[in-house]
PDB file of all heavy atoms in Angstrom:
ATOM      1  N   PHE A   1    -212.439 172.438  95.987  1.00  0.00           N
ATOM      2  CA  PHE A   1    -213.773 171.888  96.005  1.00  0.00           C
ATOM      3  C   PHE A   1    -213.574 170.354  96.254  1.00  0.00           C
ATOM      4  O   PHE A   1    -212.762 169.740  95.557  1.00  0.00           O
ATOM      5  CB  PHE A   1    -214.570 172.079  94.763  1.00  0.00           C
ATOM      6  CG  PHE A   1    -215.125 173.499  94.732  1.00  0.00           C
ATOM      7  CD1 PHE A   1    -214.475 174.479  94.089  1.00  0.00           C
ATOM      8  CD2 PHE A   1    -216.423 173.708  95.190  1.00  0.00           C
ATOM      9  CE1 PHE A   1    -215.023 175.764  93.949  1.00  0.00           C
ATOM     10  CE2 PHE A   1    -216.965 175.028  95.168  1.00  0.00           C
ATOM     11  CZ  PHE A   1    -216.274 176.026  94.460  1.00  0.00           C
ATOM     12  N   LEU A   2    -214.352 169.732  97.218  1.00  0.00           N
ATOM     13  CA  LEU A   2    -214.553 168.341  97.297  1.00  0.00           C
ATOM     14  C   LEU A   2    -215.711 167.955  96.501  1.00  0.00           C
ATOM     15  O   LEU A   2    -216.831 168.614  96.644  1.00  0.00           O
ATOM     16  CB  LEU A   2    -214.768 168.071  98.760  1.00  0.00           C
ATOM     17  CG  LEU A   2    -214.951 166.576  99.202  1.00  0.00           C
ATOM     18  CD1 LEU A   2    -213.492 165.822  98.825  1.00  0.00           C
ATOM     19  CD2 LEU A   2    -215.261 166.381 100.752  1.00  0.00           C
ATOM     20  N   CYS A   3    -215.552 166.930  95.630  1.00  0.00           N
ATOM     21  CA  CYS A   3    -216.637 166.571  94.558  1.00  0.00           C
ATOM     22  C   CYS A   3    -217.237 165.179  94.835  1.00  0.00           C
ATOM     23  O   CYS A   3    -216.451 164.215  94.857  1.00  0.00           O
ATOM     24  CB  CYS A   3    -215.997 166.687  93.225  1.00  0.00           C
ATOM     25  SG  CYS A   3    -215.316 168.366  92.797  1.00  0.00           S
ATOM     26  N   LEU A   4    -218.488 165.066  94.979  1.00  0.00           N
ATOM     27  CA  LEU A   4    -219.280 163.980  95.287  1.00  0.00           C
ATOM     28  C   LEU A   4    -220.111 163.509  94.104  1.00  0.00           C
ATOM     29  O   LEU A   4    -221.021 164.189  93.931  1.00  0.00           O
ATOM     30  CB  LEU A   4    -220.012 164.205  96.562  1.00  0.00           C
ATOM     31  CG  LEU A   4    -219.348 164.843  97.767  1.00  0.00           C
ATOM     32  CD1 LEU A   4    -220.348 164.838  98.984  1.00  0.00           C
ATOM     33  CD2 LEU A   4    -218.095 164.253  98.216  1.00  0.00           C
ATOM     34  N   PRO A   5    -219.917 162.264  93.728  1.00  0.00           N
ATOM     35  CA  PRO A   5    -220.646 161.765  92.484  1.00  0.00           C
ATOM     36  C   PRO A   5    -222.084 161.336  93.046  1.00  0.00           C
ATOM     37  O   PRO A   5    -222.337 161.189  94.231  1.00  0.00           O
ATOM     38  CB  PRO A   5    -219.947 160.561  92.139  1.00  0.00           C
ATOM     39  CG  PRO A   5    -219.110 160.089  93.323  1.00  0.00           C
ATOM     40  CD  PRO A   5    -218.787 161.241  94.017  1.00  0.00           C
ATOM     41  N   GLY A   6    -222.948 160.985  92.062  1.00  0.00           N
ATOM     42  CA  GLY A   6    -224.285 160.585  92.250  1.00  0.00           C
ATOM     43  C   GLY A   6    -224.255 159.078  92.566  1.00  0.00           C
ATOM     44  O   GLY A   6    -223.249 158.405  92.381  1.00  0.00           O
ATOM     45  N   ALA A   7    -225.408 158.527  93.050  1.00  0.00           N
ATOM     46  CA  ALA A   7    -225.550 157.105  93.310  1.00  0.00           C
ATOM     47  C   ALA A   7    -225.279 156.288  92.130  1.00  0.00           C
ATOM     48  O   ALA A   7    -225.574 156.705  90.957  1.00  0.00           O
ATOM     49  CB  ALA A   7    -226.936 156.834  93.908  1.00  0.00           C
ATOM     50  N   TYR A   8    -224.488 155.235  92.343  1.00  0.00           N
ATOM     51  CA  TYR A   8    -224.064 154.296  91.239  1.00  0.00           C
ATOM     52  C   TYR A   8    -223.080 154.935  90.248  1.00  0.00           C
ATOM     53  O   TYR A   8    -222.755 154.361  89.207  1.00  0.00           O
ATOM     54  CB  TYR A   8    -225.330 153.772  90.525  1.00  0.00           C
ATOM     55  CG  TYR A   8    -226.334 153.269  91.340  1.00  0.00           C
ATOM     56  CD1 TYR A   8    -227.618 153.859  91.399  1.00  0.00           C
ATOM     57  CD2 TYR A   8    -226.206 152.167  92.169  1.00  0.00           C
ATOM     58  CE1 TYR A   8    -228.591 153.405  92.306  1.00  0.00           C
ATOM     59  CE2 TYR A   8    -227.152 151.741  93.007  1.00  0.00           C
ATOM     60  CZ  TYR A   8    -228.378 152.389  93.085  1.00  0.00           C
ATOM     61  OH  TYR A   8    -229.392 151.906  93.971  1.00  0.00           O
ATOM     62  N   GLY A   9    -222.481 155.996  90.702  1.00  0.00           N
ATOM     63  CA  GLY A   9    -221.304 156.595  90.043  1.00  0.00           C
ATOM     64  C   GLY A   9    -220.053 156.315  90.573  1.00  0.00           C
ATOM     65  O   GLY A   9    -219.839 155.388  91.455  1.00  0.00           O
ATOM     66  N   SER A  10    -219.080 157.163  90.241  1.00  0.00           N
ATOM     67  CA  SER A  10    -217.707 156.979  90.825  1.00  0.00           C
ATOM     68  C   SER A  10    -217.037 158.246  90.717  1.00  0.00           C
ATOM     69  O   SER A  10    -217.412 159.130  89.873  1.00  0.00           O
ATOM     70  CB  SER A  10    -216.991 155.804  90.004  1.00  0.00           C
ATOM     71  OG  SER A  10    -216.743 156.158  88.712  1.00  0.00           O
ATOM     72  N   ALA A  11    -215.825 158.385  91.308  1.00  0.00           N
ATOM     73  CA  ALA A  11    -215.000 159.604  91.190  1.00  0.00           C
ATOM     74  C   ALA A  11    -214.641 159.791  89.704  1.00  0.00           C
ATOM     75  O   ALA A  11    -214.660 160.947  89.067  1.00  0.00           O
ATOM     76  CB  ALA A  11    -213.781 159.472  92.009  1.00  0.00           C
ATOM     77  N   ASP A  12    -214.245 158.800  88.954  1.00  0.00           N
ATOM     78  CA  ASP A  12    -213.791 158.828  87.618  1.00  0.00           C
ATOM     79  C   ASP A  12    -214.855 159.253  86.759  1.00  0.00           C
ATOM     80  O   ASP A  12    -214.643 160.125  85.739  1.00  0.00           O
ATOM     81  CB  ASP A  12    -213.204 157.454  87.123  1.00  0.00           C
ATOM     82  CG  ASP A  12    -211.846 157.191  87.758  1.00  0.00           C
ATOM     83  OD1 ASP A  12    -211.194 158.141  88.351  1.00  0.00           O
ATOM     84  OD2 ASP A  12    -211.376 156.069  87.791  1.00  0.00           O
ATOM     85  N   LYS A  13    -216.100 158.756  86.862  1.00  0.00           N
ATOM     86  CA  LYS A  13    -217.225 159.058  85.993  1.00  0.00           C
ATOM     87  C   LYS A  13    -217.643 160.448  86.228  1.00  0.00           C
ATOM     88  O   LYS A  13    -217.950 161.174  85.307  1.00  0.00           O
ATOM     89  CB  LYS A  13    -218.410 158.115  86.254  1.00  0.00           C
ATOM     90  CG  LYS A  13    -218.171 156.697  85.789  1.00  0.00           C
ATOM     91  CD  LYS A  13    -219.322 155.835  86.245  1.00  0.00           C
ATOM     92  CE  LYS A  13    -219.105 154.386  85.988  1.00  0.00           C
ATOM     93  NZ  LYS A  13    -220.098 153.372  86.459  1.00  0.00           N
ATOM     94  N   PHE A  14    -217.604 160.967  87.466  1.00  0.00           N
ATOM     95  CA  PHE A  14    -218.021 162.213  87.816  1.00  0.00           C
ATOM     96  C   PHE A  14    -217.078 163.282  87.197  1.00  0.00           C
ATOM     97  O   PHE A  14    -217.467 164.413  86.822  1.00  0.00           O
ATOM     98  CB  PHE A  14    -218.175 162.417  89.295  1.00  0.00           C
ATOM     99  CG  PHE A  14    -218.879 163.781  89.689  1.00  0.00           C
ATOM    100  CD1 PHE A  14    -219.875 164.311  88.971  1.00  0.00           C
ATOM    101  CD2 PHE A  14    -218.602 164.266  90.938  1.00  0.00           C
ATOM    102  CE1 PHE A  14    -220.537 165.473  89.339  1.00  0.00           C
ATOM    103  CE2 PHE A  14    -219.167 165.578  91.354  1.00  0.00           C
ATOM    104  CZ  PHE A  14    -220.157 166.084  90.480  1.00  0.00           C
ATOM    105  N   GLN A  15    -215.809 162.959  87.284  1.00  0.00           N
ATOM    106  CA  GLN A  15    -214.784 163.812  86.701  1.00  0.00           C
ATOM    107  C   GLN A  15    -215.108 164.109  85.188  1.00  0.00           C
ATOM    108  O   GLN A  15    -214.870 165.175  84.708  1.00  0.00           O
ATOM    109  CB  GLN A  15    -213.407 163.256  86.892  1.00  0.00           C
ATOM    110  CG  GLN A  15    -212.236 164.329  86.675  1.00  0.00           C
ATOM    111  CD  GLN A  15    -211.007 163.888  87.305  1.00  0.00           C
ATOM    112  OE1 GLN A  15    -210.856 162.897  88.028  1.00  0.00           O
ATOM    113  NE2 GLN A  15    -209.955 164.651  87.090  1.00  0.00           N
ATOM    114  N   VAL A  16    -215.421 163.009  84.506  1.00  0.00           N
ATOM    115  CA  VAL A  16    -215.797 163.111  83.127  1.00  0.00           C
ATOM    116  C   VAL A  16    -217.027 163.999  82.910  1.00  0.00           C
ATOM    117  O   VAL A  16    -217.022 164.822  82.085  1.00  0.00           O
ATOM    118  CB  VAL A  16    -215.999 161.689  82.430  1.00  0.00           C
ATOM    119  CG1 VAL A  16    -216.555 161.801  81.007  1.00  0.00           C
ATOM    120  CG2 VAL A  16    -214.677 160.912  82.530  1.00  0.00           C
ATOM    121  N   GLN A  17    -218.149 163.693  83.757  1.00  0.00           N
ATOM    122  CA  GLN A  17    -219.278 164.463  83.609  1.00  0.00           C
ATOM    123  C   GLN A  17    -219.113 165.965  83.864  1.00  0.00           C
ATOM    124  O   GLN A  17    -219.724 166.789  83.123  1.00  0.00           O
ATOM    125  CB  GLN A  17    -220.348 163.830  84.662  1.00  0.00           C
ATOM    126  CG  GLN A  17    -220.878 162.375  84.340  1.00  0.00           C
ATOM    127  CD  GLN A  17    -221.664 161.768  85.440  1.00  0.00           C
ATOM    128  OE1 GLN A  17    -221.333 161.920  86.651  1.00  0.00           O
ATOM    129  NE2 GLN A  17    -222.821 161.366  85.187  1.00  0.00           N
ATOM    130  N   LEU A  18    -218.223 166.198  84.798  1.00  0.00           N
ATOM    131  CA  LEU A  18    -218.106 167.642  85.281  1.00  0.00           C
ATOM    132  C   LEU A  18    -217.032 168.345  84.489  1.00  0.00           C
ATOM    133  O   LEU A  18    -216.774 169.587  84.788  1.00  0.00           O
ATOM    134  CB  LEU A  18    -217.827 167.639  86.829  1.00  0.00           C
ATOM    135  CG  LEU A  18    -218.189 169.061  87.443  1.00  0.00           C
ATOM    136  CD1 LEU A  18    -219.651 169.297  87.414  1.00  0.00           C
ATOM    137  CD2 LEU A  18    -217.733 168.906  88.930  1.00  0.00           C
ATOM    138  N   ALA A  19    -216.261 167.694  83.607  1.00  0.00           N
ATOM    139  CA  ALA A  19    -215.085 168.113  82.871  1.00  0.00           C
ATOM    140  C   ALA A  19    -215.362 169.522  82.312  1.00  0.00           C
ATOM    141  O   ALA A  19    -214.421 170.357  82.427  1.00  0.00           O
ATOM    142  CB  ALA A  19    -214.565 167.109  81.902  1.00  0.00           C
ATOM    143  N   PRO A  20    -216.371 169.808  81.626  1.00  0.00           N
ATOM    144  CA  PRO A  20    -216.553 171.132  80.966  1.00  0.00           C
ATOM    145  C   PRO A  20    -216.483 172.268  82.065  1.00  0.00           C
ATOM    146  O   PRO A  20    -215.743 173.256  81.775  1.00  0.00           O
ATOM    147  CB  PRO A  20    -217.881 171.177  80.259  1.00  0.00           C
ATOM    148  CG  PRO A  20    -218.066 169.602  79.956  1.00  0.00           C
ATOM    149  CD  PRO A  20    -217.485 168.844  81.159  1.00  0.00           C
ATOM    150  N   LEU A  21    -217.122 172.098  83.083  1.00  0.00           N
ATOM    151  CA  LEU A  21    -217.107 173.071  84.176  1.00  0.00           C
ATOM    152  C   LEU A  21    -215.784 173.159  84.895  1.00  0.00           C
ATOM    153  O   LEU A  21    -215.208 174.226  85.180  1.00  0.00           O
ATOM    154  CB  LEU A  21    -218.210 172.886  85.283  1.00  0.00           C
ATOM    155  CG  LEU A  21    -218.248 173.884  86.360  1.00  0.00           C
ATOM    156  CD1 LEU A  21    -218.588 175.334  85.809  1.00  0.00           C
ATOM    157  CD2 LEU A  21    -219.271 173.454  87.395  1.00  0.00           C
ATOM    158  N   VAL A  22    -215.231 171.986  85.142  1.00  0.00           N
ATOM    159  CA  VAL A  22    -213.794 171.989  85.733  1.00  0.00           C
ATOM    160  C   VAL A  22    -212.868 172.671  84.881  1.00  0.00           C
ATOM    161  O   VAL A  22    -212.057 173.495  85.418  1.00  0.00           O
ATOM    162  CB  VAL A  22    -213.395 170.522  85.932  1.00  0.00           C
ATOM    163  CG1 VAL A  22    -211.892 170.417  86.232  1.00  0.00           C
ATOM    164  CG2 VAL A  22    -214.213 169.883  87.032  1.00  0.00           C
ATOM    165  N   ASN A  23    -212.801 172.452  83.656  1.00  0.00           N
ATOM    166  CA  ASN A  23    -211.859 173.150  82.639  1.00  0.00           C
ATOM    167  C   ASN A  23    -212.180 174.639  82.663  1.00  0.00           C
ATOM    168  O   ASN A  23    -211.180 175.444  82.577  1.00  0.00           O
ATOM    169  CB  ASN A  23    -212.091 172.555  81.289  1.00  0.00           C
ATOM    170  CG  ASN A  23    -211.486 171.105  81.182  1.00  0.00           C
ATOM    171  OD1 ASN A  23    -210.799 170.652  82.029  1.00  0.00           O
ATOM    172  ND2 ASN A  23    -212.044 170.296  80.247  1.00  0.00           N
ATOM    173  N   GLU A  24    -213.396 175.065  82.722  1.00  0.00           N
ATOM    174  CA  GLU A  24    -213.744 176.417  82.673  1.00  0.00           C
ATOM    175  C   GLU A  24    -213.160 177.101  83.963  1.00  0.00           C
ATOM    176  O   GLU A  24    -212.588 178.182  83.842  1.00  0.00           O
ATOM    177  CB  GLU A  24    -215.330 176.676  82.626  1.00  0.00           C
ATOM    178  CG  GLU A  24    -215.847 178.089  82.918  1.00  0.00           C
ATOM    179  CD  GLU A  24    -215.429 179.126  81.866  1.00  0.00           C
ATOM    180  OE1 GLU A  24    -215.123 178.650  80.715  1.00  0.00           O
ATOM    181  OE2 GLU A  24    -215.312 180.229  82.208  1.00  0.00           O
ATOM    182  N   LEU A  25    -213.344 176.484  85.106  1.00  0.00           N
ATOM    183  CA  LEU A  25    -212.890 177.173  86.362  1.00  0.00           C
ATOM    184  C   LEU A  25    -211.348 176.971  86.515  1.00  0.00           C
ATOM    185  O   LEU A  25    -210.687 177.707  87.269  1.00  0.00           O
ATOM    186  CB  LEU A  25    -213.611 176.563  87.512  1.00  0.00           C
ATOM    187  CG  LEU A  25    -215.135 176.887  87.580  1.00  0.00           C
ATOM    188  CD1 LEU A  25    -215.815 176.084  88.694  1.00  0.00           C
ATOM    189  CD2 LEU A  25    -215.321 178.362  87.708  1.00  0.00           C
ATOM    190  N   LEU A  26    -210.747 175.926  85.895  1.00  0.00           N
ATOM    191  CA  LEU A  26    -209.285 175.831  85.928  1.00  0.00           C
ATOM    192  C   LEU A  26    -208.620 176.763  85.039  1.00  0.00           C
ATOM    193  O   LEU A  26    -207.414 177.168  85.222  1.00  0.00           O
ATOM    194  CB  LEU A  26    -208.930 174.394  85.499  1.00  0.00           C
ATOM    195  CG  LEU A  26    -209.107 173.297  86.493  1.00  0.00           C
ATOM    196  CD1 LEU A  26    -208.746 171.922  85.825  1.00  0.00           C
ATOM    197  CD2 LEU A  26    -208.251 173.395  87.732  1.00  0.00           C
ATOM    198  N   SER A  27    -209.254 177.259  83.956  1.00  0.00           N
ATOM    199  CA  SER A  27    -208.731 178.139  82.946  1.00  0.00           C
ATOM    200  C   SER A  27    -208.213 179.404  83.454  1.00  0.00           C
ATOM    201  O   SER A  27    -207.186 179.925  82.932  1.00  0.00           O
ATOM    202  CB  SER A  27    -209.713 178.431  81.858  1.00  0.00           C
ATOM    203  OG  SER A  27    -210.823 179.203  82.334  1.00  0.00           O
ATOM    204  N   ASP A  28    -208.772 179.858  84.605  1.00  0.00           N
ATOM    205  CA  ASP A  28    -208.218 181.126  85.137  1.00  0.00           C
ATOM    206  C   ASP A  28    -207.747 180.926  86.604  1.00  0.00           C
ATOM    207  O   ASP A  28    -207.498 181.948  87.292  1.00  0.00           O
ATOM    208  CB  ASP A  28    -209.266 182.275  85.128  1.00  0.00           C
ATOM    209  CG  ASP A  28    -210.454 181.929  85.928  1.00  0.00           C
ATOM    210  OD1 ASP A  28    -210.542 180.779  86.376  1.00  0.00           O
ATOM    211  OD2 ASP A  28    -211.360 182.800  85.997  1.00  0.00           O
ATOM    212  N   GLY A  29    -207.659 179.632  86.980  1.00  0.00           N
ATOM    213  CA  GLY A  29    -207.203 179.320  88.370  1.00  0.00           C
ATOM    214  C   GLY A  29    -208.179 179.572  89.483  1.00  0.00           C
ATOM    215  O   GLY A  29    -207.822 179.800  90.665  1.00  0.00           O
ATOM    216  N   SER A  30    -209.430 179.675  89.102  1.00  0.00           N
ATOM    217  CA  SER A  30    -210.451 179.993  90.019  1.00  0.00           C
ATOM    218  C   SER A  30    -210.610 178.895  91.116  1.00  0.00           C
ATOM    219  O   SER A  30    -210.886 179.149  92.276  1.00  0.00           O
ATOM    220  CB  SER A  30    -211.831 180.144  89.378  1.00  0.00           C
ATOM    221  OG  SER A  30    -211.837 181.298  88.522  1.00  0.00           O
ATOM    222  N   ALA A  31    -210.404 177.620  90.698  1.00  0.00           N
ATOM    223  CA  ALA A  31    -210.652 176.534  91.602  1.00  0.00           C
ATOM    224  C   ALA A  31    -209.868 175.311  91.221  1.00  0.00           C
ATOM    225  O   ALA A  31    -209.307 175.240  90.133  1.00  0.00           O
ATOM    226  CB  ALA A  31    -212.139 176.165  91.541  1.00  0.00           C
ATOM    227  N   THR A  32    -209.687 174.442  92.239  1.00  0.00           N
ATOM    228  CA  THR A  32    -209.128 173.001  92.061  1.00  0.00           C
ATOM    229  C   THR A  32    -210.186 172.076  92.599  1.00  0.00           C
ATOM    230  O   THR A  32    -211.089 172.484  93.368  1.00  0.00           O
ATOM    231  CB  THR A  32    -207.852 172.956  92.841  1.00  0.00           C
ATOM    232  OG1 THR A  32    -207.982 173.195  94.241  1.00  0.00           O
ATOM    233  CG2 THR A  32    -206.756 173.931  92.282  1.00  0.00           C
ATOM    234  N   PHE A  33    -209.918 170.898  92.246  1.00  0.00           N
ATOM    235  CA  PHE A  33    -211.027 169.906  92.547  1.00  0.00           C
ATOM    236  C   PHE A  33    -210.440 168.565  93.085  1.00  0.00           C
ATOM    237  O   PHE A  33    -209.370 168.092  92.479  1.00  0.00           O
ATOM    238  CB  PHE A  33    -211.838 169.647  91.251  1.00  0.00           C
ATOM    239  CG  PHE A  33    -212.404 170.847  90.657  1.00  0.00           C
ATOM    240  CD1 PHE A  33    -211.657 171.636  89.810  1.00  0.00           C
ATOM    241  CD2 PHE A  33    -213.696 171.297  91.018  1.00  0.00           C
ATOM    242  CE1 PHE A  33    -212.281 172.811  89.253  1.00  0.00           C
ATOM    243  CE2 PHE A  33    -214.231 172.435  90.547  1.00  0.00           C
ATOM    244  CZ  PHE A  33    -213.521 173.202  89.760  1.00  0.00           C
ATOM    245  N   ARG A  34    -211.092 167.895  94.031  1.00  0.00           N
ATOM    246  CA  ARG A  34    -210.826 166.652  94.522  1.00  0.00           C
ATOM    247  C   ARG A  34    -211.997 165.754  94.380  1.00  0.00           C
ATOM    248  O   ARG A  34    -213.006 165.919  95.047  1.00  0.00           O
ATOM    249  CB  ARG A  34    -210.238 166.592  95.909  1.00  0.00           C
ATOM    250  CG  ARG A  34    -210.076 165.323  96.740  1.00  0.00           C
ATOM    251  CD  ARG A  34    -208.890 164.544  95.994  1.00  0.00           C
ATOM    252  NE  ARG A  34    -208.599 163.430  96.993  1.00  0.00           N
ATOM    253  CZ  ARG A  34    -209.017 162.162  96.790  1.00  0.00           C
ATOM    254  NH1 ARG A  34    -209.753 161.887  95.837  1.00  0.00           N
ATOM    255  NH2 ARG A  34    -208.626 161.175  97.699  1.00  0.00           N
ATOM    256  N   PHE A  35    -211.975 164.700  93.496  1.00  0.00           N
ATOM    257  CA  PHE A  35    -213.066 163.881  93.374  1.00  0.00           C
ATOM    258  C   PHE A  35    -212.901 162.591  94.134  1.00  0.00           C
ATOM    259  O   PHE A  35    -211.838 161.970  94.253  1.00  0.00           O
ATOM    260  CB  PHE A  35    -213.170 163.469  91.768  1.00  0.00           C
ATOM    261  CG  PHE A  35    -213.610 164.523  90.932  1.00  0.00           C
ATOM    262  CD1 PHE A  35    -212.688 165.491  90.523  1.00  0.00           C
ATOM    263  CD2 PHE A  35    -214.973 164.689  90.553  1.00  0.00           C
ATOM    264  CE1 PHE A  35    -213.167 166.553  89.663  1.00  0.00           C
ATOM    265  CE2 PHE A  35    -215.397 165.673  89.710  1.00  0.00           C
ATOM    266  CZ  PHE A  35    -214.446 166.560  89.202  1.00  0.00           C
ATOM    267  N   VAL A  36    -213.962 162.130  94.814  1.00  0.00           N
ATOM    268  CA  VAL A  36    -213.755 160.912  95.649  1.00  0.00           C
ATOM    269  C   VAL A  36    -214.942 159.949  95.338  1.00  0.00           C
ATOM    270  O   VAL A  36    -216.065 160.283  94.982  1.00  0.00           O
ATOM    271  CB  VAL A  36    -213.969 161.332  97.126  1.00  0.00           C
ATOM    272  CG1 VAL A  36    -212.797 162.227  97.580  1.00  0.00           C
ATOM    273  CG2 VAL A  36    -215.287 161.968  97.503  1.00  0.00           C
ATOM    274  N   ASP A  37    -214.615 158.691  95.503  1.00  0.00           N
ATOM    275  CA  ASP A  37    -215.698 157.588  95.383  1.00  0.00           C
ATOM    276  C   ASP A  37    -216.560 157.685  96.673  1.00  0.00           C
ATOM    277  O   ASP A  37    -216.084 157.973  97.817  1.00  0.00           O
ATOM    278  CB  ASP A  37    -215.103 156.284  95.287  1.00  0.00           C
ATOM    279  CG  ASP A  37    -214.457 155.983  93.874  1.00  0.00           C
ATOM    280  OD1 ASP A  37    -215.091 156.454  92.973  1.00  0.00           O
ATOM    281  OD2 ASP A  37    -213.400 155.410  93.849  1.00  0.00           O
ATOM    282  N   ALA A  38    -217.781 157.181  96.514  1.00  0.00           N
ATOM    283  CA  ALA A  38    -218.571 156.996  97.760  1.00  0.00           C
ATOM    284  C   ALA A  38    -218.096 155.754  98.403  1.00  0.00           C
ATOM    285  O   ALA A  38    -217.525 154.886  97.753  1.00  0.00           O
ATOM    286  CB  ALA A  38    -220.057 156.789  97.326  1.00  0.00           C
ATOM    287  N   PRO A  39    -218.290 155.454  99.703  1.00  0.00           N
ATOM    288  CA  PRO A  39    -217.745 154.418 100.355  1.00  0.00           C
ATOM    289  C   PRO A  39    -218.409 153.080 100.274  1.00  0.00           C
ATOM    290  O   PRO A  39    -217.878 152.053 100.717  1.00  0.00           O
ATOM    291  CB  PRO A  39    -217.685 154.852 101.790  1.00  0.00           C
ATOM    292  CG  PRO A  39    -218.823 155.898 101.959  1.00  0.00           C
ATOM    293  CD  PRO A  39    -218.965 156.623 100.595  1.00  0.00           C
ATOM    294  N   CYS A  40    -219.694 152.954  99.753  1.00  0.00           N
ATOM    295  CA  CYS A  40    -220.421 151.794  99.738  1.00  0.00           C
ATOM    296  C   CYS A  40    -220.454 151.197  98.284  1.00  0.00           C
ATOM    297  O   CYS A  40    -220.882 152.067  97.364  1.00  0.00           O
ATOM    298  CB  CYS A  40    -221.911 152.022 100.201  1.00  0.00           C
ATOM    299  SG  CYS A  40    -222.011 152.736 101.816  1.00  0.00           S
ATOM    300  N   GLU A  41    -220.024 150.007  98.051  1.00  0.00           N
ATOM    301  CA  GLU A  41    -220.256 149.431  96.864  1.00  0.00           C
ATOM    302  C   GLU A  41    -221.746 149.083  96.521  1.00  0.00           C
ATOM    303  O   GLU A  41    -222.483 148.789  97.488  1.00  0.00           O
ATOM    304  CB  GLU A  41    -219.428 148.060  96.728  1.00  0.00           C
ATOM    305  CG  GLU A  41    -217.984 148.336  96.715  1.00  0.00           C
ATOM    306  CD  GLU A  41    -217.117 147.001  96.535  1.00  0.00           C
ATOM    307  OE1 GLU A  41    -217.821 145.914  96.191  1.00  0.00           O
ATOM    308  OE2 GLU A  41    -215.903 147.098  96.629  1.00  0.00           O
ATOM    309  N   ALA A  42    -222.193 149.206  95.367  1.00  0.00           N
ATOM    310  CA  ALA A  42    -223.669 149.219  94.981  1.00  0.00           C
ATOM    311  C   ALA A  42    -223.910 148.404  93.765  1.00  0.00           C
ATOM    312  O   ALA A  42    -223.083 148.186  92.907  1.00  0.00           O
ATOM    313  CB  ALA A  42    -224.174 150.531  94.832  1.00  0.00           C
ATOM    314  N   VAL A  43    -225.202 148.028  93.570  1.00  0.00           N
ATOM    315  CA  VAL A  43    -225.675 147.505  92.305  1.00  0.00           C
ATOM    316  C   VAL A  43    -226.928 148.284  91.989  1.00  0.00           C
ATOM    317  O   VAL A  43    -227.719 148.478  92.680  1.00  0.00           O
ATOM    318  CB  VAL A  43    -226.095 145.907  92.665  1.00  0.00           C
ATOM    319  CG1 VAL A  43    -226.729 145.415  91.394  1.00  0.00           C
ATOM    320  CG2 VAL A  43    -224.988 145.065  93.056  1.00  0.00           C
TER     321      VAL A  43
END
């Protein structure tokens, strides 16, 4: 899966937010994940 955070977020923050589901799907090898930052810096 390619993982896209919300506005004013980041790859690292989204990885923390999604960690429970990521761990659930990693537990049986169902999925792997690539988190990316959005390309525009924001305020």
